[in-house]
Amino acid sequence: MAAANEQFMQLAVDKAWKYQFLTYPNPAVGAVVVKGGRVLSTEAHKEAGKPHAEVLALKEAYLTKYPNSSLRFLDNSHEIHHYLTLNHKDFFNDCQIYVTLEPCNHMGKTPACAMLLEAVGIEKVYIGTLDPNKQASGGLQRLKDAGIKVETGICKEETDNLLFPFKTWQKKNFSFFKIAMREDGSVEGGYITTKDSLELVHNIRTKLDLMVIGGETVRVDRPTLDTRFAKSPKSPDIFIYSKQKEFDRTIPLFGVKNREVKISSDIESIDKNFVMIEGGLNLLNMLKSSCDMVMLFISHKEKSKKLFDPETLGLKTIHSYFINEFDEILFLINP
């Protein structure tokens, strides 16, 4: 059974990584509902203020039994909570839920997940990592007090890795380096990855407090660095890392509205909470000691006999997945 528990929790971990950084300032969290050894739903928290992973997983699991329920039209977390509390029909009494993070126990923009799990009578809750946020913690004890069976520490290394950005920006500013390359390690020549990756990066940009880019890249590529492929029009402020202060002001990034552009060679002067640095290998080698994580996009569209080894960067890969058949995304940290 231990192996099965790890497999179910890994499904939740894998789902949550696909929304890493998009949930800022919330953590990325995944949840899986299982009934009779069969997975009914796999969900993740997708955006701050929107339903948490547990809520979405319970909703989708319920709809496997009652597909014509009006629940399928509900997207608001409070409405989903209310509906399931009143209409669960004891469906969850023999269900287990696997959650990468301890269910929250406080009322914020969304209701407490531990309260909902208690209300629907879930049989057992498996938890990866306990919540380090004191304001939201307490879900474990609430579930136990309600007589619900709870087991913690399932795939804890993987769930801790998933939570690493959240833990970091809870204590200090969090910065990560985004880089794209082909599978042979080359980074030149315009767009490297597919539009799926481009849309993901643009959506992440809408969550940033600041985006850092090298001065040479600005002069050569003349980028816009906006969010035109994202759901939100919010574009991040820009920090151009350069000793030279003079730039052609017709470069598109200077023309984006509601944006501040700063030019400086003092990377330590950055005091923003959530920062993405974007550039090539030279800039990465210069700044990786200042980064908490590296998000590496590798395009496998152009096959090569010579494959780039991410370990040559001196970093440790903690997770990877394919966003489509061509683009692989790796998350790396300093070992």
Side-chain angles (χ1 to χ4, degrees):
M1 186 60 186
N5 288 338
E6 291 177 0
Q7 289 175 358
F8 294 140
M9 185 64 79
Q10 190 61 53
L11 290 176
V13 169
D14 292 344
K15 185 74 171 183
W17 270 106
K18 295 179 180 179
Y19 296 90
Q20 188 65 271
F21 304 144
L22 295 173
T23 62
Y24 176 82
N26 289 357
V29 179
V32 169
V33 174
V34 175
K35 190 183 186 82
R38 182 170 71 92
V39 173
L40 298 186
S41 61
T42 304
E43 278 292 351
H45 182 44
K46 298 176 174 67
E47 186 178 359
K50 298 294 178 66
H52 288 182
E54 301 95 313
V55 179
L56 292 174
L58 291 174
K59 173 186 173 180
E60 294 307 312
Y62 185 88
L63 290 174
T64 63
K65 175 70 173 179
Y66 305 103
N68 297 320
S69 164
S70 60
L71 176 63
R72 64 195 176 106
F73 300 110
L74 303 181
D75 297 315
N76 178 276
S77 190
H78 290 272
E79 293 176 348
I80 298 171
H81 273 245
H82 183 70
Y83 184 94
L84 287 176
T85 298
L86 296 179
N87 302 283
H88 58 79
K89 302 176 184 178
D90 295 330
F91 173 75
F92 297 102
N93 287 6
D94 58 350
C95 287
Q96 304 82 47
I97 189 168
Y98 295 77
V99 190
T100 60
L101 178 66
E102 176 186 5
C104 64
N105 192 42
H106 80 300
M107 300 289 287
K109 291 182 179 179
T110 61
C113 292
M115 184 188 303
L116 179 60
L117 292 170
E118 176 186 352
V120 302
I122 198 85
E123 180 187 39
K124 187 168 184 177
V125 180
Y126 294 88
I127 299 170
T129 300
L130 297 181
D131 199 328
N133 182 1
K134 292 182 179 180
Q135 182 183 3
S137 64
L140 171 65
Q141 191 58 51
R142 181 182 190 118
L143 294 169
K144 286 183 175 181
D145 290 345
I148 296 171
K149 292 179 282 188
V150 184
E151 188 172 333
T152 62
I154 311 298
C155 296
K156 189 174 185 302
E157 181 179 358
E158 290 80 3
T159 56
D160 281 352
N161 286 339
L162 174 66
L163 204 61
F164 173 70
F166 175 73
K167 286 182 175 179
T168 304
W169 66 55
Q170 287 283 298
K171 298 176 183 177
K172 66 177 187 67
N173 64 306
F174 176 85
S175 63
F176 71 100
F177 197 105
K178 177 260 170 183
I179 181 172
M181 62 177 62
R182 298 172 188 84
E183 65 177 27
D184 65 357
S186 61
V187 298
E188 299 81 14
Y191 287 126
I192 293 173
T193 54
T194 66
K195 192 173 181 180
D196 288 339
S197 293
L198 189 62
E199 288 177 350
L200 173 59
V201 171
H202 278 227
N203 279 303
I204 291 173
R205 285 179 183 175
T206 68
K207 310 299 179 183
L208 301 173
D209 295 316
L210 186 70
M211 182 174 172
V212 179
I213 189 165
E216 186 64 19
T217 299
V218 172
R219 293 186 179 90
V220 174
D221 293 349
R222 300 179 64 86
T224 305
L225 305 180
D226 63 359
T227 56
R228 61 192 179 278
F229 297 116
K231 298 175 183 177
S232 166
K234 177 184 175 292
S235 293
D237 290 339
I238 300 294
F239 182 104
I240 300 175
Y241 180 59
S242 174
K243 292 181 179 179
Q244 298 181 35
K245 307 296 184 186
E246 298 301 319
F247 284 84
D248 178 358
R249 295 290 165 154
T250 66
I251 293 173
L253 75 85
F254 291 103
V256 176
K257 294 180 179 180
N258 302 315
R259 148 184 290 176
E260 178 184 346
V261 179
K262 181 178 180 180
I263 304 169
S264 175
S265 60
D266 183 9
I267 202 78
E268 300 300 325
S269 67
I270 295 175
D271 61 355
K272 301 291 186 178
N273 196 50
F274 187 33
V275 180
M276 178 172 81
I277 306 171
E278 187 168 317
L281 286 170
N282 289 338
L283 189 63
L284 174 59
N285 288 326
M286 290 171 60
L287 299 181
K288 68 181 179 181
S289 62
S290 302
C291 298
D292 299 295
M293 184 176 281
V294 173
M295 187 179 192
L296 170 62
F297 289 75
I298 299 182
S299 172
H300 298 278
K301 192 172 185 178
E302 299 175 21
K303 295 299 180 182
S304 172
K305 293 181 180 179
K306 178 185 176 184
L307 300 180
F308 179 80
D309 181 4
E311 300 298 319
T312 60
L313 297 173
L315 301 169
K316 175 186 176 184
T317 302
I318 59 172
H319 190 76
S320 66
Y321 73 91
F322 278 82
I323 194 170
N324 56 35
E325 66 175 308
F326 298 119
D327 295 353
E328 183 181 13
I329 302 175
L330 289 81
F331 296 86
L332 306 99
I333 59 172
N334 287 302

